Amino acid sequence: MRIKFDIKRIPSMLLLLSVCSSAVLAQTTIRAGAEVKVKGQVSVQGPFVNNSDKLNVNEAQLTLTGTNQSLTTSSPLALQGLTVNGGGTKPFLGDWNITNNLVLTNGVVSVASGKILYTGNTTLTGSTTSFINGPMYQRGSGSRFFPIGTGNV
């Protein structure tokens, strides 16, 4: 299923994108004030821009499949899970909290501004072609394995 939408504020309405199996988002811009809740497996192929302080993606598993795509948020966002794939460099702007799982398959996450916070308890997975370049923090107890570098380090 491919979904392309431009979300605008509609008074006293909430847009709920609930996905049973999976959805694909191309270029996505969420305008200031829009109330949006995303649930389920969502593949993001193009740039993702959030200008709303009412976006709820804490029940969403995002998979980045585009090459050199950027993700921007104007207010902190919590994601249930994030999978990085598709290759290239993926600039992240703003504060992102990953609450469950983080899978680095193919592509470099470049933290251009803000930070990535990991609060999950699952083992992080990475590869020689995928890592985080920039600030990443972990909150919680116990030890964690963070895959870093390009495999030559």
Side-chain angles (χ1 to χ4, degrees), residues 53-70:
D53 61 350
K54 298 176 182 176
L55 173 62
N56 180 343
V57 288
N58 59 356
E59 293 182 54
Q61 173 72 39
L62 295 185
T63 300
L64 308 180
T65 58
T67 303
N68 300 323
Q69 67 190 116
S70 61

Side-chain angles (χ1 to χ4, degrees), residues 3 5 7 20 32 34 79 83 89 95 107 111 121 134 140 145 149 151:
I3 301 171
F5 54 90
I7 300 168
C20 295
L79 301 170
T83 299
T89 300
D95 293 337
V111 183
N121 292 320
F145 168 76

Side-chain angles (χ1 to χ4, degrees), residues 21-98:
S21 57
S22 65
V24 177
L25 298 178
Q27 182 173 342
T28 305
T29 300
I30 300 172
R31 296 176 187 246
E35 294 182 53
V36 181
K37 183 171 185 174
V38 181
K39 298 170 74 172
Q41 298 278 348
V42 179
S43 176
V44 180
Q45 292 181 338
F48 179 91
V49 178
N50 172 45
N51 293 314
S52 175
D53 61 350
K54 298 176 182 176
L55 173 62
N56 180 343
V57 288
N58 59 356
E59 293 182 54
Q61 173 72 39
L62 295 185
T63 300
L64 308 180
T65 58
T67 303
N68 300 323
Q69 67 190 116
S70 61
L71 282 86
T72 304
T73 184
S74 60
S75 61
L77 276 186
L79 301 170
Q80 182 181 48
L82 177 67
T83 299
V84 177
N85 205 350
T89 300
K90 300 171 187 328
F92 274 59
L93 292 96
D95 293 337
W96 299 81
N97 179 7
I98 301 158

Side-chain angles (χ1 to χ4, degrees), residues 1-20:
M1 171 173 50
R2 293 178 72 71
I3 301 171
K4 184 175 182 179
F5 54 90
D6 183 14
I7 300 168
K8 299 177 182 175
R9 179 153 174 69
I10 301 171
S12 70
M13 291 191 70
L14 170 69
L15 174 63
L16 172 62
L17 175 60
S18 184
V19 180
C20 295

Side-chain angles (χ1 to χ4, degrees), residues 117-129:
L117 171 66
Y118 177 72
T119 58
N121 292 320
T122 60
T123 302
L124 302 177
T125 60
S127 72
T128 58
T129 60

